[in-house]
Amino acid sequence: MSSLQSSALARVKPSATIAVTAQARKLKAEGRDVIGLGAGEPDFDTPDNIKQAAIDAIHRGETKYTDADGMPELKAAIVAKFKRENDLDYTPANIHVAPGGKPVIFNALVATLNPGDEVIVPAPYWVSYPDMVLLAGGEPVTVIGEEKDGFKLLPATLEAAITPRTRWLILNSPSNPTGAAYARAELEALAEVLRRHPHVWVLTDDMYEHLVYGDFEYTTIAQVAPDLIDGVSKAYAMTGWRIGYAGGPKPLIDLMRKVASQTTSNPTSISQWAAVEALNGTQDFIPERKAAFEKRRDLVVSMLNQATGIACATPEGAFYVYPSIAGLIGKTTEGGVVIDGDSTFAAELLNAEGVAVVQGEAFGLSPYFRISYATSDAVLEEACTRIQRFAASLR
């Protein structure tokens, strides 16, 4: 009997971060004391003014279809946001809205990739990038951003990876999973390389732009190169509302709209009205929440660096850390399991201490693991105490 699964789907893996979160929920349902640090989801609630905008939209009867790639009111709010915060001049014809950031990226890839086209994906990468490229018929080309370079792509590395078949470079700043963010000078150096290769387009995922810490100044490569991907889910605590948006050249946006018209069609109308308020309404809560995330970052980095065999760099943004477990490789658990990599480490940590993290293997660079610190200080302190205890127990 032939396989039900298509050859395209056979090329990809399920999302590792979703799998870890599902496993943590399953264990909790079975009565285990589990702390889940796998999901990249803020623990803050959606602000009340945004909730009220959605309720008002329901009462007004704004419950019908909208344009396939977003209603005019939301596109206007996105245009204003890009100008206000990023100094980018777009019109509504340059804007694409979809049910979340993933469909935005997927629509761009499906709209532009032919079999054999290459997409440069710097590692550590968000787990979905390579698999979305594969689903779209392209070939992901992984290039490593070493920890000594701040987990960032260097211009020489980018230059070496570009071929005549390269179609896209995907950039993510601040990064999921590392929290690393590119400074303006670093982006300009990458842009210099790209100017020598005009057949390569840039897809920049700036989902965490509002979450940068200290005196780091956020810049997007969209200010020096073609395209921008963004969304409202993280900064506004709207993950479940499923709204993502992009700005880019009209020919690309037209192609993405064509994909949306035959797949998801429009994002939920109610969520779109909520996103209008998120972008146009008060932004006062963002600095307060950013400060809370920065405090959590410092707590987690400090406690992980006190753990035996673990070394954790301090990220510039987002709400993730990406600690190295190089000092634990080859050690043995009390049950006799050898820590031969970060997948084994994550599995044994969950088994012994009930802490769910995501293995570095899922992000393309080992031996590391990712922690999302988008939860309370008390939970993070308890989780890091358990990680310290587990690391100290290895022999």
Side-chain angles (χ1 to χ4, degrees), residues 129-211:
Y129 294 144
D131 290 298
M132 285 196 286
V133 171
L134 289 168
L135 274 174
E139 299 296 333
V141 176
T142 301
V143 292
I144 302 297
E146 302 283 356
E147 183 176 359
K148 64 181 177 61
D149 300 315
F151 296 114
K152 299 173 192 176
L153 176 65
L154 298 181
T157 308
L158 172 60
E159 184 88 61
I162 294 173
T163 76
R165 305 203 72 163
T166 306
R167 188 71 160 172
W168 287 97
L169 163 67
I170 297 179
L171 280 181
N172 178 208
S173 176
S175 162
N176 174 3
T178 66
Y182 290 85
R184 175 179 282 273
E186 294 169 325
L187 293 173
E188 289 175 344
L190 294 177
E192 269 307 303
V193 174
L194 293 166
R195 290 189 186 103
R196 295 195 289 272
H197 303 278
H199 67 289
V200 181
W201 285 41
V202 182
L203 191 159
T204 175
D205 181 350
D206 298 336
M207 185 67 75
Y208 301 94
E209 66 170 306
H210 290 110
L211 299 176

Side-chain angles (χ1 to χ4, degrees), residues 201-248:
W201 285 41
V202 182
L203 191 159
T204 175
D205 181 350
D206 298 336
M207 185 67 75
Y208 301 94
E209 66 170 306
H210 290 110
L211 299 176
V212 293
Y213 308 121
D215 58 0
F216 185 88
E217 184 177 336
Y218 170 79
T219 307
T220 173
I221 199 171
Q223 292 163 295
V224 290
D227 303 301
L228 180 67
I229 297 290
D230 210 332
V232 298
S233 65
K234 311 295 182 176
Y236 299 94
M238 293 178 68
T239 49
W241 297 78
R242 308 313 299 144
I243 293 289
Y245 58 83

Side-chain angles (χ1 to χ4, degrees), residues 45-55 241 277 282 285 289:
D45 197 6
T46 303
D48 287 341
N49 64 307
I50 299 173
K51 290 181 184 177
Q52 190 60 51
I55 293 168
W241 297 78
E277 175 62 23
T282 179
F285 59 91
R289 294 185 176 188

Side-chain angles (χ1 to χ4, degrees), residues 111-134:
T112 57
L113 292 180
N114 291 308
D117 284 348
E118 296 173 351
V119 178
I120 296 173
V121 183
Y125 46 67
W126 180 43
V127 294
S128 294
Y129 294 144
D131 290 298
M132 285 196 286
V133 171
L134 289 168

Side-chain angles (χ1 to χ4, degrees), residues 340-364:
D340 56 2
D342 46 47
S343 292
T344 303
F345 171 85
E348 292 303 310
L349 174 63
L350 180 58
N351 180 57
E353 292 287 353
V355 177
V357 300
V358 186
Q359 66 274 17
E361 181 182 30
F363 305 102

